Amino acid sequence: MTALGAVFRPQLPPERLRALARLADETGLEELWLWEDCFREGGISTAAAALAWTERVRIGVGLLPVPLRNVAITAMEAATLHRMFPGRAVLAVGHGVQDWMGQVGARAESPLTLLREHLLALRALLAGERVSTRGRYVSLDDVALDWPPDGPVEVLTGATGPRTLRLTGEAADGTVLTAGTPPEGVRRARGLIDEGRQKAGRTDPHRVVVYLLTATGPDATARLRAELTDEGFADVPDLGVAGDADAVAKAVQRLVDAGADTVVLQPTADEPDPEGFVRFVAQDVRPLVP
């Protein structure tokens, strides 16, 4: 079955998260995703709070920029969430927005090398291994977690470019694609991910999560068009959806047909009713998505 989620956008102040997370839990939404956009809410802190406030909804963080974190800290925080809230935390890592990384003095000369080293070390630490490595960016000397997760956990990676997509297939357990990815882009991404998986000899499952920019209500078309224009995607065909639950469900299905396993509906930055959006996804769209 296709998993369906919604985004709590960091344009909202953090004090709004509690009510919205509880609403997601109560309405049966499967996944609520958070962003660590500079310089708004922190991903781990908001995820921990949302998990503590809820009982069943899965909380995703898409994504944690690896230039900002020592991999040991990423592993410690991820393992803590997975042990306290088994099966409910979904964490993705990635390059981060390079301009933001430059602002804080963390921009890497080779983002791809950094991400590869971080992924390999992170997955090993979360698997309970003792790790010693000395790479270009990641150095660990006899490091192991005292409290690793009780079982296997997936590590997702955000990706857009071909080399990063191949890397996710090779070294991650899943891939997160931005709302700038139309169905044809999902197909291309799946192909590149599979190239990486083949190179690494991987046959385990690989989840593809896709954000879908979504607007509903009387001004939905105008709000969607304005955001796509602001993001430079106005000329990209079949990107985003505006309309009622039936129209949104059909857009979700197009992404699923292209290779998405999970579709996360992303409201526009000016969504006037975030709580209403969560209800719309959980109560109106979910029954129409197989």
Side-chain angles (χ1 to χ4, degrees):
M1 183 176 76
T2 302
L4 199 66
V7 177
F8 174 89
R9 292 189 62 149
Q11 284 83 1
L12 294 171
E15 58 267 25
R16 293 285 299 273
L17 177 58
R18 182 175 184 173
L20 208 143
R22 286 185 167 179
L23 179 63
D25 210 41
E26 293 163 2
T27 55
L29 187 70
E30 295 156 70
E31 298 188 359
L32 180 67
W33 281 72
L34 314 172
W35 294 352
E36 187 169 76
D37 276 2
C38 295
F39 298 94
R40 298 183 172 112
E41 293 101 348
I44 295 295
S45 55
T46 51
L51 287 162
W53 289 326
T54 55
E55 297 293 334
R56 45 150 304 279
V57 64
R58 284 161 60 89
I59 302 296
V61 180
L63 47 77
L64 301 169
V66 298
L68 295 180
R69 284 182 179 78
N70 183 287
V71 69
I73 294 295
T74 309
M76 290 161 58
E77 292 185 322
T80 300
L81 290 182
H82 283 295
R83 289 185 68 104
M84 290 194 300
F85 309 101
R88 294 182 53 216
V90 185
L91 300 182
V93 298
H95 297 307
V97 176
Q98 294 306 294
D99 287 347
W100 290 341
M101 300 303 101
Q103 280 184 272
V104 298
R107 188 167 187 163
E109 185 177 351
S110 177
L112 196 69
T113 301
L114 168 57
L115 183 57
R116 177 185 295 277
E117 292 178 0
H118 194 103
L119 272 173
L120 294 175
L122 177 61
R123 292 181 70 239
L125 289 169
L126 291 176
E129 298 178 19
R130 185 168 295 276
V131 182
S132 291
T133 183
R134 186 165 297 278
R136 182 174 177 180
Y137 296 103
V138 174
S139 293
L140 298 173
D141 181 12
D142 195 34
V143 175
L145 297 176
D146 282 6
W147 299 105
D150 288 331
V153 298
E154 62 177 4
V155 175
L156 278 61
T157 302
T160 53
R163 292 191 299 167
T164 307
L165 286 164
R166 291 189 185 95
L167 175 61
T168 68
E170 181 183 346
D173 303 305
T175 303
V176 179
L177 303 176
T178 72
T181 313
E184 186 53 40
V186 176
R187 290 188 183 90
R188 289 194 298 270
R190 266 290 186 189
L192 292 163
I193 291 165
D194 287 344
E195 288 179 18
R197 285 168 55 76
Q198 184 176 8
K199 177 182 176 182
R202 298 188 63 171
T203 58
D204 52 326
H206 188 100
R207 181 156 72 117
V208 172
V209 179
V210 185
Y211 293 127
L212 174 62
L213 186 61
T214 304
T216 190
D219 59 347
T221 299
R223 286 193 292 112
L224 177 68
R225 185 184 303 115
E227 182 138 336
L228 288 173
T229 299
D230 288 345
E231 296 294 327
F233 295 133
D235 297 328
V236 178
D238 205 19
L239 191 61
V241 59
D244 59 11
D246 185 62
V248 174
K250 288 176 180 176
V252 170
Q253 190 60 51
R254 288 193 290 272
L255 292 172
V256 172
D257 292 343
D261 300 298
T262 300
V263 179
V264 182
L265 304 190
Q266 173 184 320
T268 58
D270 61 352
E271 167 59 51
D273 183 8
E275 289 80 8
F277 186 85
V278 168
R279 290 192 189 92
F280 171 72
V281 177
Q283 298 176 344
D284 298 340
V285 180
R286 173 73 269 181
L288 302 178
V289 176

